[in-house]
Amino acid sequence: MFNRTLLAAAFSVLAITPAIAAERPLSKVTVVFDKPLPNVPGKSMRGVIVDYAPGAASPAHRHPNSAFIYATVLEGEVRSSVNGEPAKVYKPGENWYEAPGAFHGVSANASDSKPAKLMAVFVLDSNETVLVTPSDK
């Protein structure tokens, strides 16, 4: 329970950071699971759902250096750019990977009229408490 509260607090920092141009609405992040990997001592798997209202986005950010991340779009369309690659729009069922310490420069709903949702799964050191660090690069 403590981990969920701590993770929720970490993502709250992401949600309140005023780093988005033109006052875009911010994404909402919900931790849906957090389990140690029994066959990989010291590692855990954590999952979050990111809900984007129409026009919503997340500030540019980084994840922990131990975090391997797999993200898949569940509904709507999400625009994403990792490590300076050109931004791409992902549709339901499409996915991307983020290497440890990657810079996530763009994470936004591609629509100003429809909501979008993605699930991100982290495999990381179990002792990591901060999943998102706002960053400009």
Side-chain angles (χ1 to χ4, degrees):
M1 185 64 171
F2 176 73
N3 277 345
R4 285 182 187 246
T5 303
L6 195 55
L7 292 173
F11 277 105
S12 293
V13 170
L14 174 66
I16 62 173
T17 303
I20 299 175
E23 303 283 330
R24 290 179 66 110
L26 298 172
S27 59
K28 176 187 170 206
V29 179
T30 306
V31 176
V32 293
F33 64 90
D34 181 3
K35 299 290 181 192
L37 296 174
N39 59 341
V40 187
K43 295 289 185 179
S44 290
M45 185 181 311
R46 297 182 190 154
V48 300
I49 299 292
V50 182
D51 286 293
Y52 297 94
S58 300
H61 58 274
R62 291 186 183 279
H63 299 290
N65 286 333
S66 71
F68 292 86
I69 302 162
Y70 169 82
T72 188
V73 176
L74 301 175
E75 67 181 61
E77 296 182 350
V78 175
R79 187 172 53 258
S80 181
S81 171
V82 178
N83 287 337
E85 292 291 322
K88 179 179 175 187
V89 174
Y90 295 86
K91 297 178 181 185
E94 296 181 328
N95 57 74
W96 66 91
Y97 163 80
E98 295 181 40
F103 173 66
H104 200 159
V106 176
S107 181
N109 187 337
S111 172
D112 288 329
S113 61
K114 297 177 185 174
K117 181 184 295 191
L118 69 82
M119 180 172 69
V121 177
F122 293 67
V123 175
L124 73 169
D125 290 347
S126 297
N127 64 355
E128 288 289 356
T129 57
V130 178
L131 294 182
V132 177
T133 302
S135 175
D136 59 359
K137 258 201 169 173

